[in-house]
Amino acid sequence: MPVLLVIAIVVALVVRTFVLQSFWIPSGSMEHTLERGDRVLVNKLVYEFTDPERGDVIVFKAPMEWRSNPEDEDFIKRVIAVGGDTVSYSRDEGRLSVNGRALDESAYLYHDPVSGAADLPSKDGYEFTVIVPEGRLWVMGDHRSASGDSRENYIRSGRDVSSATIPVDSVVGHAFVVMWPFERFHWLTVPETFDAVPASRSERSASRD
């Protein structure tokens, strides 16, 4: 029995370190996709074989300048654009666009539970156009008015793109299911709107090569 117990502990530690880990959601930055107190299960192995994709919900080690508390290092956001993409927001269009394609974010963007009003895709209608550097990601919370994300740090840094994006290497893993509380169990799938985003110029160039 002691040997079996040791083996079980070792296996659990290996799985937690390298394969799967649960994370508790402490804030409302991803409401209502994720609620405060939810627990999500994160696949830590998948990005060893592929890069994060548009629409993925990811856990990552936040840059120090993103943190209000230096000890709060694990953030969870949605990938909006990847390296080589052009992401923008125009008040006239009223939507985020990636590589010229407007996103329909109605399936996941925060709605006030009382009034039903939806968050603007960019808080306060702030307009921007950014080309995401290779090897980096533009990430945003689904609760745009309550999320410290790429848009907020783009403004805070004086429109510095490096400060507004995160390196792919900082990604811990892919959050793929809400596992607790049980009544909120659901899979975190990629919204269909991201399927229609055209390839970036760098992706087209790589495919030709």
Side-chain angles (χ1 to χ4, degrees):
M1 284 298 293
V3 173
L4 291 176
L5 181 60
V6 169
I7 292 173
I9 292 172
V10 170
V11 170
L13 288 173
V14 169
V15 169
R16 185 183 187 278
T17 303
F18 299 107
V19 184
L20 296 173
Q21 185 176 348
S22 69
F23 286 84
W24 174 69
I25 306 302
S27 75
S29 69
M30 282 292 292
E31 291 176 328
H32 290 291
T33 302
L34 303 174
E35 302 284 1
R36 297 172 192 264
D38 282 354
R39 281 200 172 270
V40 298
L41 198 58
V42 171
N43 184 331
K44 301 175 72 174
L45 190 61
V46 62
Y47 295 138
E48 295 295 325
F49 306 100
T50 185
D51 286 337
E53 298 181 355
R54 306 175 192 101
D56 286 354
V57 176
I58 61 169
V59 171
F60 60 95
K61 300 298 182 185
M64 190 61 70
E65 60 269 24
W66 284 37
R67 309 178 196 177
S68 55
N69 181 345
E71 296 182 359
D72 294 337
E73 61 177 5
D74 294 322
F75 278 32
I76 186 164
K77 306 291 179 189
R78 188 182 299 279
V79 178
I80 300 298
V82 300
D85 283 345
T86 299
V87 57
S88 62
Y89 177 75
S90 162
R91 288 194 194 96
D92 291 339
E93 192 168 56
R95 293 186 180 186
L96 286 183
S97 292
V98 179
N99 299 334
R101 178 77 181 196
L103 299 178
D104 178 3
E105 300 188 283
S106 58
Y108 57 85
L109 205 62
Y110 175 82
H111 285 73
D112 184 276
V114 177
S115 68
D119 270 6
L120 290 173
S122 177
K123 183 181 176 182
D124 300 325
Y126 182 83
E127 296 185 310
F128 62 88
T129 298
V130 170
I131 298 176
V132 181
E134 294 294 340
R136 302 187 73 86
L137 304 169
W138 180 275
V139 297
M140 300 180 79
D142 291 351
H143 190 172
R144 299 285 159 79
S145 61
S147 177
D149 52 24
S150 288
R151 187 208 66 89
E152 179 177 299
N153 285 281
Y154 182 63
I155 299 170
R156 183 185 297 171
S157 65
R159 299 194 173 208
D160 181 75
V161 177
S162 292
S163 296
T165 53
I166 63 165
V168 171
D169 291 346
S170 71
V171 177
V172 174
H174 178 206
F176 65 96
V177 64
V178 175
M179 65 177 190
W180 187 262
F182 185 73
E183 61 270 18
R184 280 190 40 75
F185 179 94
H186 64 276
W187 301 103
L188 298 172
T189 57
V190 174
E192 292 182 0
T193 188
F194 290 95
D195 295 337
V197 173
S200 66
R201 184 177 301 176
S202 59
E203 286 175 322
R204 294 195 298 270
S205 176
S207 65
R208 287 195 296 270
D209 294 342

